[in-house]
Amino acid sequence: MKHLFARFATRVSEWAGKPVIFILALIAVVIWAALGPFFDYSETWQLVINTGTTIVTFLMVFVLQNAQTRDTRAIQAKLNEIILTSHAENRFIGIENLDEEELKRLDELVAKAAKGRGETEACRTSESTEAANAAPSKKAEARKRPVAAKAPKQKQRPIQKSQI
């Protein structure tokens, strides 16, 4: 059921983001507005657009949130892989789980380091990221991996939770 909804959410969010869908929605609103005089701008006439837009909005919130959450997780996994295989600080892995105040503080420290001040301080994060500090062994391991010749492309499967 999860995979069915995930595929559905992806397709609907791609479909809903197309300009032609916006144009169709705009046409529907124009037609509704044009029909106002024929229905004497009655409560029923108003109820039609209010009900329709409310239902569509309510359902789209869940569909779009599902698609956005999966996209965000995929991007975060890619960024973590880049951090692990580069000279970047491993301490930054997992910072998306910090609370708002810690993120603001870290952002200030990184901005300060970018201006050439406090470079060592910028790499210090709160104790919330201690779990991410175990990653240096993964980073060192990733650097030691030999670069093999390109193998023939195989069908890639999504990473399962048990593989993470």
Side-chain angles (χ1 to χ4, degrees), residues 18-110:
K18 293 185 178 185
V20 69
I21 301 305
F22 172 78
I23 292 169
L24 289 174
L26 183 62
I27 289 170
V29 171
V30 168
I31 291 171
W32 168 81
L35 291 174
F38 295 109
F39 292 99
D40 294 325
Y41 301 102
S42 67
E43 288 184 20
T44 304
W45 172 79
Q46 293 177 21
L47 189 61
V48 167
I49 197 73
N50 290 339
T51 304
T53 56
T54 301
I55 291 170
V56 169
T57 302
F58 179 75
L59 296 176
M60 287 300 288
V61 165
F62 299 104
V63 169
L64 295 176
Q65 184 62 48
N66 179 275
Q68 182 181 13
T69 300
R70 282 183 294 103
D71 287 347
T72 301
R73 286 185 182 145
I75 290 168
Q76 194 61 52
K78 291 174 185 180
L79 289 172
N80 287 345
E81 178 65 15
I82 290 171
I83 290 170
L84 285 172
T85 59
S86 71
H87 294 290
E89 289 288 330
N90 286 343
R91 293 183 190 131
F92 286 99
I93 292 178
I95 65 170
E96 67 275 6
N97 297 319
L98 297 176
D99 65 26
E100 191 65 29
E101 288 179 24
E102 292 171 319
L103 283 173
K104 283 181 184 177
R105 173 77 176 135
L106 184 62
D107 187 44
E108 290 169 3
L109 293 172
V110 170

Side-chain angles (χ1 to χ4, degrees), residues 140-152:
E141 185 180 310
R143 286 188 184 144
K144 291 178 185 175
R145 283 187 230 154
V147 178
K150 278 194 171 180

